[in-house]
Amino acid sequence: SILYILTINVHLSLSEMSVNEWLRSLCSNLGHSESERPRSILSSLPLSTPSLLGLGALASAIAYWLMTRPRPMRPSVDLQAQSVAVDGDPCCRRSALLPDNKLQDFYYEDSKTAYAIFQRGIKVSGGGPCLGYRKPGQPYEWISYTEVAEQAQLLGSGLLAKGCQSNSSQFVGIFAQNRPEWTISQLACYTYSMVLVPLYETLGMEAMVHILDLAEISLVICDCEEKAASLLENKEKGVSPKLSCLVLFDEFSEAFLERAKKCDVEVLKYAQLIPPQPEDLAVVCFTSGTTGRDCCHLSMSTLTMLNASLFQVTLFCHGARVGFYQGEISLLMDDIKTLKPAFLPVVPRLLNRIYDKILGSVTSPLRRTLLNFAVRRKQAELRSGVVRNDSLWDKLVFKKIQASLGGKLRFALTTSAPISPTVLSFLRATLGCVIFEGYGQTECTGGCTFSMPGDWTAGHVGAPVPGALVKVVDIPEMNYLTKNQEGEVCIKGPIVFKGYLRDPERTAEALDSDGWLHTGDVGQWLPNGTLRIIDRKKNIFKLSQGEYIAPEKIENVYMRCVPVLQVFVHGDSLQSYLIGIVVPDPEVFVDWAKERGIVGSHQELCQNPDVKNAVLEDLKDVGKKAGLKSFEQVKDLYLHPEMFSIANGLLTPTLKSRRNDIRRVFQEQLSAMYSKTTI
């Protein structure tokens, strides 16, 4: 009966009362005994049948909502105490996920090496899809876990046949773009306990020659003839005497083969070609400073970067699929839409571009009001622990935004640089997915802190991971002191690297006598046990009046200016103020200037002094709101129309500024600004 439905639904909303208690109370109030059936009670209610039907429908709707409403994500620890002080020292902390001070070495007992992790992935996936690739305009094609393992074993056997030794003293070079064969080559080395040494163009040929010599590499795997030819040229010059074999993914010409024979270098096609121990070396990663089963992940970061390889190994452990982009940045968004990834590792620069693009596309006051209201409603859900992409606001406002990233994104991870809390909170709402923030560096195997599931606050990089102790130490010259819970971030634990290859001096600089890795970053412990990165010890310099400047902190603030795509802050110990190089965002710069009554092309606007002054005022306004001190604000700038990029040598492969190279390229402009600016 309708009353029975009503009874059940009122019970759902009033859980402290049982159905029997409620029914007994209702019967008593209406003058009926408990034995009388609900039908007789129904007939005595002073309500018309349509009213009762309406009440029943309402109660049913309430019950349906209660049963289907989104459930908040339950955090695994107290979010107000995400880390624990070690031995009573509040400046040295460990993960609250650990039962005691013993750090976690391994997550699964059967997966203690990269080789074993992939073997676990084969079992978990049932030999399902593993590595995906696509041709222009085509869907993704997949290589299964079983096929990947077979190809890796065959390639590894071929390496052994060419004289490589099955031990961790054997270094194998790889000079190739991110693609399935890269990962297979990596797994081939893992299978036979060899060590992979990635090479990449932005290192420069001088640095690559140094790496080949230092690691005594005789065999290098390349993707194309062009890259192999650049290595062969060094052999011809006599600067890479140990190089004896090149293996190519792609076809190569007979002329190249004959050229290689003349200098005793064997050239092979990729197709022609004892599990390691936990303590064995897996990868030697030269950084830019050198002279779920159904889950799908897009691999676009270069695999020479340790983070990208670490992501893949983690995904393999759970039998997930990894799709590769086509190799062209211009086709990246099309690859994402086609692949529809569930997990996407990103850098803050990309998230900032998405944020700016969303705001830039909303021009009318009505649409902006609707967007802001929808974001506030979604952020309110986030604060209660609810993360979803199927709400009314997702369907009305955010559907196109989510579709641009494939529409199935569940997790994203941002690393490599700080991200604005405003941007992070905004994108968590609009993308309708979990966005984690992590912190670490190559020397600590990727990450040492990670934001906790269920904690959707922004402005920190999470708590220590279970495999790390993290502490801060005094930097008196910058007035960062542990008594204020501030200082240089130091890391210790099984995740910390063993040292720099055959470079004991640099190893001693990075690792102190107690095994702590000194990162050069400045951190602050927050009351909830999470870490906030607030400054940078490295790259700091003094102005003439003695003020210490951390340019990267200032650049991260200025990046929030609407017309700014890239910025470089420069100072000199003989000068009392800062100047900068700004690359305007070509997608918004022309319209931004037009709103201020200035018309022209992107190139013309960069040369317009009125535009420069408007950008300078915008920078100062954003800096002031962010709390920059007067001496931290730039007093003059140069607008440069061309982006800093990996190709022009002004960015590292992790998209960080090559500060020395930028200073060298813009020396004329920097000198001119200092010579004419009067403070």
Short mmCIF file of all heavy atoms in Angstrom, two decimals, residues 56-114:
data_model
loop_
_atom_site.label_atom_id
_atom_site.label_comp_id
_atom_site.label_asym_id
_atom_site.label_seq_id
_atom_site.Cartn_x
_atom_site.Cartn_y
_atom_site.Cartn_z
N GLY A 56 3.10 9.73 -1.25
CA GLY A 56 3.82 8.50 -1.54
C GLY A 56 4.89 8.69 -2.59
O GLY A 56 6.01 8.20 -2.48
N ALA A 57 4.55 9.46 -3.64
CA ALA A 57 5.52 9.73 -4.69
C ALA A 57 6.70 10.54 -4.15
O ALA A 57 7.86 10.27 -4.47
CB ALA A 57 4.84 10.49 -5.84
N LEU A 58 6.40 11.53 -3.30
CA LEU A 58 7.45 12.34 -2.70
C LEU A 58 8.37 11.48 -1.83
O LEU A 58 9.59 11.59 -1.90
CB LEU A 58 6.83 13.46 -1.86
CG LEU A 58 7.83 14.36 -1.10
CD1 LEU A 58 8.75 15.08 -2.08
CD2 LEU A 58 7.08 15.36 -0.23
N ALA A 59 7.74 10.62 -1.01
CA ALA A 59 8.53 9.75 -0.15
C ALA A 59 9.41 8.80 -0.98
O ALA A 59 10.56 8.54 -0.63
CB ALA A 59 7.62 8.95 0.77
N SER A 60 8.85 8.29 -2.06
CA SER A 60 9.63 7.41 -2.93
C SER A 60 10.81 8.15 -3.56
O SER A 60 11.92 7.62 -3.66
CB SER A 60 8.74 6.84 -4.04
OG SER A 60 7.70 6.07 -3.48
N ALA A 61 10.58 9.41 -3.97
CA ALA A 61 11.65 10.21 -4.55
C ALA A 61 12.76 10.47 -3.54
O ALA A 61 13.95 10.39 -3.86
CB ALA A 61 11.09 11.54 -5.08
N ILE A 62 12.33 10.76 -2.29
CA ILE A 62 13.32 10.99 -1.24
C ILE A 62 14.14 9.73 -0.99
O ILE A 62 15.36 9.78 -0.83
CB ILE A 62 12.63 11.46 0.06
CG1 ILE A 62 12.01 12.85 -0.15
CG2 ILE A 62 13.61 11.50 1.22
CD1 ILE A 62 11.16 13.32 0.99
N ALA A 63 13.44 8.59 -0.96
CA ALA A 63 14.15 7.32 -0.74
C ALA A 63 15.13 7.04 -1.86
O ALA A 63 16.26 6.61 -1.63
CB ALA A 63 13.14 6.18 -0.63
N TYR A 64 14.72 7.32 -3.11
CA TYR A 64 15.60 7.09 -4.26
C TYR A 64 16.83 7.97 -4.16
O TYR A 64 17.97 7.53 -4.40
CB TYR A 64 14.84 7.37 -5.55
CG TYR A 64 15.69 7.24 -6.80
CD1 TYR A 64 16.00 5.98 -7.31
CD2 TYR A 64 16.20 8.37 -7.44
CE1 TYR A 64 16.80 5.85 -8.44
CE2 TYR A 64 17.00 8.25 -8.56
CZ TYR A 64 17.29 6.98 -9.05
OH TYR A 64 18.07 6.86 -10.16
N TRP A 65 16.61 9.24 -3.76
CA TRP A 65 17.75 10.15 -3.63
C TRP A 65 18.70 9.69 -2.54
O TRP A 65 19.92 9.74 -2.70
CB TRP A 65 17.24 11.56 -3.32
CG TRP A 65 18.37 12.54 -3.13
CD1 TRP A 65 19.09 13.16 -4.10
CD2 TRP A 65 18.92 12.96 -1.88
NE1 TRP A 65 20.06 13.96 -3.53
CE2 TRP A 65 19.98 13.85 -2.17
CE3 TRP A 65 18.62 12.68 -0.55
CZ2 TRP A 65 20.73 14.47 -1.19
CZ3 TRP A 65 19.37 13.29 0.45
CH2 TRP A 65 20.40 14.17 0.13
N LEU A 66 18.14 9.22 -1.43
CA LEU A 66 18.98 8.77 -0.33
C LEU A 66 19.83 7.57 -0.73
O LEU A 66 20.97 7.42 -0.31
CB LEU A 66 18.12 8.41 0.88
CG LEU A 66 17.51 9.59 1.65
CD1 LEU A 66 16.47 9.09 2.64
CD2 LEU A 66 18.60 10.37 2.37
N MET A 67 19.24 6.70 -1.56
CA MET A 67 19.96 5.49 -1.97
C MET A 67 20.97 5.74 -3.08
O MET A 67 21.94 5.00 -3.23
CB MET A 67 18.96 4.41 -2.40
CG MET A 67 18.15 3.82 -1.25
SD MET A 67 17.09 2.45 -1.75
CE MET A 67 15.86 3.30 -2.74
N THR A 68 20.75 6.78 -3.90
CA THR A 68 21.62 7.00 -5.07
C THR A 68 22.49 8.25 -4.94
O THR A 68 23.28 8.52 -5.84
CB THR A 68 20.76 7.14 -6.34
OG1 THR A 68 19.86 8.26 -6.19
CG2 THR A 68 19.97 5.87 -6.60
N ARG A 69 22.35 9.00 -3.85
CA ARG A 69 23.13 10.24 -3.73
C ARG A 69 24.62 9.90 -3.68
O ARG A 69 25.02 8.83 -3.22
CB ARG A 69 22.72 11.02 -2.48
CG ARG A 69 23.17 10.42 -1.17
CD ARG A 69 22.57 11.21 0.00
NE ARG A 69 23.13 10.84 1.28
CZ ARG A 69 22.79 9.78 1.99
NH1 ARG A 69 21.87 8.94 1.51
NH2 ARG A 69 23.34 9.54 3.16
N PRO A 70 25.46 10.83 -4.18
CA PRO A 70 26.91 10.56 -4.21
C PRO A 70 27.48 10.40 -2.82
O PRO A 70 27.12 11.13 -1.89
CB PRO A 70 27.48 11.80 -4.90
CG PRO A 70 26.45 12.86 -4.70
CD PRO A 70 25.14 12.15 -4.71
N ARG A 71 28.34 9.42 -2.67
CA ARG A 71 28.98 9.16 -1.38
C ARG A 71 30.34 9.86 -1.33
O ARG A 71 31.10 9.83 -2.30
CB ARG A 71 29.19 7.66 -1.17
CG ARG A 71 27.92 6.84 -1.32
CD ARG A 71 26.98 7.08 -0.15
NE ARG A 71 25.88 6.13 -0.19
CZ ARG A 71 24.62 6.45 0.05
NH1 ARG A 71 24.31 7.69 0.35
NH2 ARG A 71 23.67 5.54 0.01
N PRO A 72 30.67 10.49 -0.22
CA PRO A 72 31.98 11.13 -0.11
C PRO A 72 33.10 10.10 -0.03
O PRO A 72 32.90 8.98 0.45
CB PRO A 72 31.87 11.93 1.19
CG PRO A 72 30.83 11.22 1.99
CD PRO A 72 29.85 10.67 0.99
N MET A 73 34.27 10.48 -0.54
CA MET A 73 35.44 9.62 -0.44
C MET A 73 35.97 9.67 0.99
O MET A 73 36.22 10.74 1.54
CB MET A 73 36.52 10.09 -1.41
CG MET A 73 37.76 9.23 -1.43
SD MET A 73 38.98 9.80 -2.65
CE MET A 73 38.14 9.41 -4.17
N ARG A 74 36.10 8.50 1.60
CA ARG A 74 36.54 8.43 2.99
C ARG A 74 38.06 8.41 3.07
O ARG A 74 38.70 7.49 2.54
CB ARG A 74 35.97 7.18 3.67
CG ARG A 74 34.45 7.10 3.65
CD ARG A 74 33.82 8.24 4.42
NE ARG A 74 32.34 8.16 4.42
CZ ARG A 74 31.55 9.12 4.86
NH1 ARG A 74 32.09 10.23 5.33
NH2 ARG A 74 30.24 8.98 4.82
N PRO A 75 38.68 9.41 3.69
CA PRO A 75 40.14 9.40 3.81
C PRO A 75 40.61 8.28 4.72
O PRO A 75 39.92 7.86 5.64
CB PRO A 75 40.45 10.78 4.42
CG PRO A 75 39.19 11.19 5.11
CD PRO A 75 38.06 10.60 4.31
N SER A 76 41.80 7.77 4.44
CA SER A 76 42.34 6.64 5.20
C SER A 76 43.03 7.07 6.49
O SER A 76 43.39 6.23 7.31
CB SER A 76 43.33 5.85 4.34
OG SER A 76 44.27 6.71 3.75
N VAL A 77 43.24 8.39 6.66
CA VAL A 77 43.83 8.91 7.90
C VAL A 77 43.07 10.16 8.30
O VAL A 77 42.27 10.71 7.53
CB VAL A 77 45.34 9.25 7.73
CG1 VAL A 77 46.13 8.02 7.35
CG2 VAL A 77 45.54 10.36 6.70
N ASP A 78 43.32 10.63 9.50
CA ASP A 78 42.76 11.89 9.97
C ASP A 78 43.38 13.02 9.15
O ASP A 78 44.58 13.23 9.18
CB ASP A 78 43.07 12.07 11.46
CG ASP A 78 42.50 13.38 12.02
OD1 ASP A 78 41.88 14.14 11.26
OD2 ASP A 78 42.70 13.63 13.23
N LEU A 79 42.56 13.75 8.40
CA LEU A 79 43.08 14.80 7.53
C LEU A 79 43.69 15.97 8.30
O LEU A 79 44.38 16.80 7.71
CB LEU A 79 41.98 15.31 6.59
CG LEU A 79 41.45 14.28 5.59
CD1 LEU A 79 40.39 14.90 4.70
CD2 LEU A 79 42.58 13.70 4.75
N GLN A 80 43.44 16.03 9.58
CA GLN A 80 44.05 17.07 10.40
C GLN A 80 45.39 16.62 10.99
O GLN A 80 46.05 17.38 11.70
CB GLN A 80 43.10 17.49 11.52
CG GLN A 80 41.76 18.02 11.04
CD GLN A 80 41.93 19.14 10.01
OE1 GLN A 80 42.69 20.09 10.23
NE2 GLN A 80 41.22 19.04 8.90
N ALA A 81 45.76 15.37 10.73
CA ALA A 81 47.04 14.84 11.22
C ALA A 81 47.56 13.83 10.20
O ALA A 81 47.62 12.64 10.45
CB ALA A 81 46.87 14.18 12.58
N GLN A 82 47.97 14.34 9.02
CA GLN A 82 48.33 13.47 7.91
C GLN A 82 49.76 12.93 8.00
O GLN A 82 50.14 12.03 7.26
CB GLN A 82 48.14 14.21 6.58
CG GLN A 82 46.69 14.61 6.34
CD GLN A 82 46.48 15.24 4.98
OE1 GLN A 82 47.11 14.85 3.99
NE2 GLN A 82 45.61 16.22 4.91
N SER A 83 50.56 13.51 8.87
CA SER A 83 51.91 13.00 9.11
C SER A 83 52.19 13.00 10.60
O SER A 83 51.49 13.67 11.38
CB SER A 83 52.96 13.82 8.35
OG SER A 83 53.00 15.15 8.82
N VAL A 84 53.22 12.25 10.99
CA VAL A 84 53.54 12.05 12.40
C VAL A 84 54.97 12.48 12.67
O VAL A 84 55.88 12.14 11.90
CB VAL A 84 53.35 10.57 12.80
CG1 VAL A 84 53.70 10.34 14.26
CG2 VAL A 84 51.91 10.12 12.51
N ALA A 85 55.18 13.22 13.75
CA ALA A 85 56.53 13.63 14.13
C ALA A 85 57.35 12.40 14.51
O ALA A 85 56.87 11.50 15.19
CB ALA A 85 56.47 14.61 15.30
N VAL A 86 58.60 12.35 14.04
CA VAL A 86 59.49 11.23 14.31
C VAL A 86 60.33 11.55 15.55
O VAL A 86 61.01 12.58 15.60
CB VAL A 86 60.41 10.94 13.11
CG1 VAL A 86 61.38 9.82 13.43
CG2 VAL A 86 59.56 10.59 11.88
N ASP A 87 60.25 10.66 16.53
CA ASP A 87 61.01 10.82 17.79
C ASP A 87 60.77 12.18 18.44
O ASP A 87 61.68 12.82 18.99
CB ASP A 87 62.51 10.63 17.54
CG ASP A 87 62.83 9.23 17.04
OD1 ASP A 87 62.11 8.29 17.44
OD2 ASP A 87 63.78 9.07 16.26
N GLY A 88 59.53 12.65 18.32
CA GLY A 88 59.15 13.90 18.97
C GLY A 88 59.63 15.17 18.29
O GLY A 88 59.40 16.27 18.80
N ASP A 89 60.26 15.05 17.13
CA ASP A 89 60.76 16.22 16.41
C ASP A 89 59.72 16.66 15.38
O ASP A 89 59.53 15.99 14.36
CB ASP A 89 62.08 15.88 15.71
CG ASP A 89 62.66 17.07 14.95
OD1 ASP A 89 62.06 18.15 15.02
OD2 ASP A 89 63.71 16.90 14.30
N PRO A 90 59.04 17.78 15.59
CA PRO A 90 57.97 18.19 14.66
C PRO A 90 58.49 18.60 13.28
O PRO A 90 57.70 18.73 12.35
CB PRO A 90 57.33 19.39 15.38
CG PRO A 90 58.40 19.92 16.27
CD PRO A 90 59.20 18.73 16.70
N CYS A 91 59.80 18.82 13.16
CA CYS A 91 60.36 19.20 11.86
C CYS A 91 60.73 17.99 11.01
O CYS A 91 61.05 18.13 9.83
CB CYS A 91 61.60 20.07 12.06
SG CYS A 91 61.21 21.69 12.75
N CYS A 92 60.72 16.79 11.59
CA CYS A 92 61.00 15.55 10.86
C CYS A 92 59.77 14.67 10.96
O CYS A 92 59.34 14.29 12.06
CB CYS A 92 62.22 14.85 11.46
SG CYS A 92 62.64 13.29 10.64
N ARG A 93 59.17 14.32 9.82
CA ARG A 93 57.87 13.66 9.86
C ARG A 93 57.83 12.45 8.91
O ARG A 93 58.58 12.38 7.94
CB ARG A 93 56.76 14.65 9.50
CG ARG A 93 56.82 15.96 10.30
CD ARG A 93 55.62 16.86 10.07
NE ARG A 93 54.43 16.33 10.70
CZ ARG A 93 54.09 16.54 11.97
NH1 ARG A 93 54.86 17.27 12.75
NH2 ARG A 93 52.98 16.03 12.46
N ARG A 94 56.90 11.54 9.22
CA ARG A 94 56.64 10.36 8.40
C ARG A 94 55.15 10.28 8.10
O ARG A 94 54.33 11.02 8.67
CB ARG A 94 57.08 9.08 9.13
CG ARG A 94 56.30 8.81 10.41
CD ARG A 94 56.48 7.38 10.89
NE ARG A 94 55.89 7.13 12.19
CZ ARG A 94 54.60 6.82 12.39
NH1 ARG A 94 53.77 6.75 11.36
NH2 ARG A 94 54.15 6.60 13.60
N SER A 95 54.78 9.35 7.23
CA SER A 95 53.38 9.18 6.85
C SER A 95 52.55 8.63 8.01
O SER A 95 52.99 7.73 8.73
CB SER A 95 53.28 8.22 5.66
OG SER A 95 51.93 7.90 5.38
N ALA A 96 51.34 9.16 8.16
CA ALA A 96 50.41 8.65 9.18
C ALA A 96 49.84 7.29 8.77
O ALA A 96 49.19 6.63 9.58
CB ALA A 96 49.28 9.64 9.40
N LEU A 97 50.10 6.87 7.54
CA LEU A 97 49.63 5.55 7.09
C LEU A 97 50.46 4.43 7.71
O LEU A 97 50.02 3.28 7.72
CB LEU A 97 49.72 5.45 5.56
CG LEU A 97 48.78 6.37 4.76
CD1 LEU A 97 49.17 6.38 3.29
CD2 LEU A 97 47.34 5.92 4.93
N LEU A 98 51.65 4.75 8.21
CA LEU A 98 52.53 3.74 8.79
C LEU A 98 52.17 3.50 10.26
O LEU A 98 51.87 4.45 10.99
CB LEU A 98 53.99 4.18 8.69
CG LEU A 98 54.57 4.33 7.28
CD1 LEU A 98 55.93 4.99 7.35
CD2 LEU A 98 54.64 2.98 6.58
N PRO A 99 52.25 2.26 10.72
CA PRO A 99 51.94 1.97 12.13
C PRO A 99 53.05 2.42 13.08
O PRO A 99 52.81 2.63 14.27
CB PRO A 99 51.78 0.45 12.15
CG PRO A 99 52.61 -0.03 11.00
CD PRO A 99 52.49 1.03 9.95
N ASP A 100 54.29 2.53 12.57
CA ASP A 100 55.42 2.95 13.40
C ASP A 100 56.44 3.65 12.52
O ASP A 100 56.16 3.99 11.37
CB ASP A 100 56.04 1.74 14.12
CG ASP A 100 56.36 0.60 13.17
OD1 ASP A 100 56.85 0.89 12.05
OD2 ASP A 100 56.11 -0.58 13.51
N ASN A 101 57.63 3.85 13.03
CA ASN A 101 58.66 4.60 12.30
C ASN A 101 59.39 3.79 11.24
O ASN A 101 60.29 4.30 10.58
CB ASN A 101 59.68 5.19 13.28
CG ASN A 101 59.10 6.34 14.08
OD1 ASN A 101 58.04 6.88 13.72
ND2 ASN A 101 59.76 6.71 15.16
N LYS A 102 59.04 2.52 11.09
CA LYS A 102 59.67 1.71 10.06
C LYS A 102 59.08 2.05 8.70
O LYS A 102 57.87 1.93 8.48
CB LYS A 102 59.47 0.22 10.35
CG LYS A 102 60.17 -0.68 9.33
CD LYS A 102 59.94 -2.16 9.62
CE LYS A 102 60.62 -3.03 8.58
NZ LYS A 102 60.36 -4.48 8.80
N LEU A 103 59.93 2.51 7.78
CA LEU A 103 59.45 2.92 6.46
C LEU A 103 59.12 1.72 5.59
O LEU A 103 59.67 0.63 5.76
CB LEU A 103 60.52 3.78 5.77
CG LEU A 103 60.89 5.08 6.48
CD1 LEU A 103 61.95 5.84 5.69
CD2 LEU A 103 59.67 5.96 6.70
N GLN A 104 58.23 1.94 4.65
CA GLN A 104 57.79 0.86 3.75
C GLN A 104 58.76 0.73 2.58
O GLN A 104 59.01 1.69 1.85
CB GLN A 104 56.38 1.17 3.24
CG GLN A 104 55.77 0.06 2.42
CD GLN A 104 54.35 0.42 1.98
OE1 GLN A 104 54.13 1.43 1.35
NE2 GLN A 104 53.41 -0.42 2.33
N ASP A 105 59.30 -0.46 2.40
CA ASP A 105 60.19 -0.73 1.28
C ASP A 105 59.43 -1.15 0.03
O ASP A 105 59.72 -0.71 -1.08
CB ASP A 105 61.20 -1.83 1.64
CG ASP A 105 62.23 -1.35 2.65
OD1 ASP A 105 62.82 -0.29 2.41
OD2 ASP A 105 62.42 -2.02 3.66
N PHE A 106 58.44 -2.04 0.20
CA PHE A 106 57.70 -2.60 -0.93
C PHE A 106 56.21 -2.63 -0.60
O PHE A 106 55.81 -2.79 0.55
CB PHE A 106 58.17 -4.03 -1.24
CG PHE A 106 59.67 -4.14 -1.42
CD1 PHE A 106 60.47 -4.71 -0.45
CD2 PHE A 106 60.26 -3.65 -2.57
CE1 PHE A 106 61.83 -4.80 -0.61
CE2 PHE A 106 61.63 -3.74 -2.75
CZ PHE A 106 62.43 -4.31 -1.77
N TYR A 107 55.40 -2.47 -1.63
CA TYR A 107 53.95 -2.52 -1.44
C TYR A 107 53.44 -3.95 -1.55
O TYR A 107 52.59 -4.38 -0.79
CB TYR A 107 53.26 -1.63 -2.47
CG TYR A 107 51.82 -1.33 -2.12
CD1 TYR A 107 51.51 -0.33 -1.19
CD2 TYR A 107 50.77 -2.03 -2.72
CE1 TYR A 107 50.19 -0.05 -0.86
CE2 TYR A 107 49.46 -1.76 -2.39
CZ TYR A 107 49.16 -0.77 -1.47
OH TYR A 107 47.87 -0.51 -1.13
N TYR A 108 53.95 -4.69 -2.54
CA TYR A 108 53.59 -6.09 -2.72
C TYR A 108 54.85 -6.95 -2.55
O TYR A 108 55.90 -6.63 -3.11
CB TYR A 108 52.99 -6.35 -4.11
CG TYR A 108 51.68 -5.64 -4.35
CD1 TYR A 108 51.61 -4.58 -5.25
CD2 TYR A 108 50.51 -6.03 -3.71
CE1 TYR A 108 50.41 -3.92 -5.50
CE2 TYR A 108 49.31 -5.38 -3.94
CZ TYR A 108 49.26 -4.33 -4.84
OH TYR A 108 48.08 -3.68 -5.06
N GLU A 109 54.74 -8.02 -1.82
CA GLU A 109 55.89 -8.88 -1.57
C GLU A 109 56.38 -9.58 -2.84
O GLU A 109 57.54 -9.95 -2.94
CB GLU A 109 55.54 -9.94 -0.50
CG GLU A 109 55.57 -9.40 0.92
CD GLU A 109 56.93 -8.85 1.31
OE1 GLU A 109 57.95 -9.52 1.07
OE2 GLU A 109 56.98 -7.72 1.84
N ASP A 110 55.47 -9.76 -3.81
CA ASP A 110 55.87 -10.43 -5.05
C ASP A 110 56.33 -9.44 -6.11
O ASP A 110 56.56 -9.82 -7.26
CB ASP A 110 54.73 -11.29 -5.59
CG ASP A 110 53.51 -10.46 -6.01
OD1 ASP A 110 53.43 -9.28 -5.60
OD2 ASP A 110 52.65 -10.98 -6.74
N SER A 111 56.47 -8.16 -5.75
CA SER A 111 56.82 -7.14 -6.73
C SER A 111 57.87 -6.20 -6.16
O SER A 111 57.58 -5.07 -5.78
CB SER A 111 55.57 -6.34 -7.14
OG SER A 111 54.56 -7.20 -7.62
N LYS A 112 59.10 -6.69 -6.11
CA LYS A 112 60.18 -5.91 -5.50
C LYS A 112 61.15 -5.32 -6.51
O LYS A 112 62.08 -4.62 -6.15
CB LYS A 112 60.95 -6.78 -4.49
CG LYS A 112 60.09 -7.21 -3.30
CD LYS A 112 60.90 -7.98 -2.28
CE LYS A 112 60.05 -8.35 -1.07
NZ LYS A 112 60.84 -9.06 -0.04
N THR A 113 60.96 -5.62 -7.79
CA THR A 113 61.78 -5.03 -8.85
C THR A 113 60.85 -4.64 -9.99
O THR A 113 59.70 -5.07 -10.07
CB THR A 113 62.82 -6.03 -9.39
OG1 THR A 113 62.12 -7.11 -10.05
CG2 THR A 113 63.69 -6.59 -8.28
N ALA A 114 61.36 -3.80 -10.89
CA ALA A 114 60.56 -3.40 -12.05
C ALA A 114 60.18 -4.61 -12.90
O ALA A 114 59.09 -4.69 -13.46
CB ALA A 114 61.33 -2.38 -12.89
#
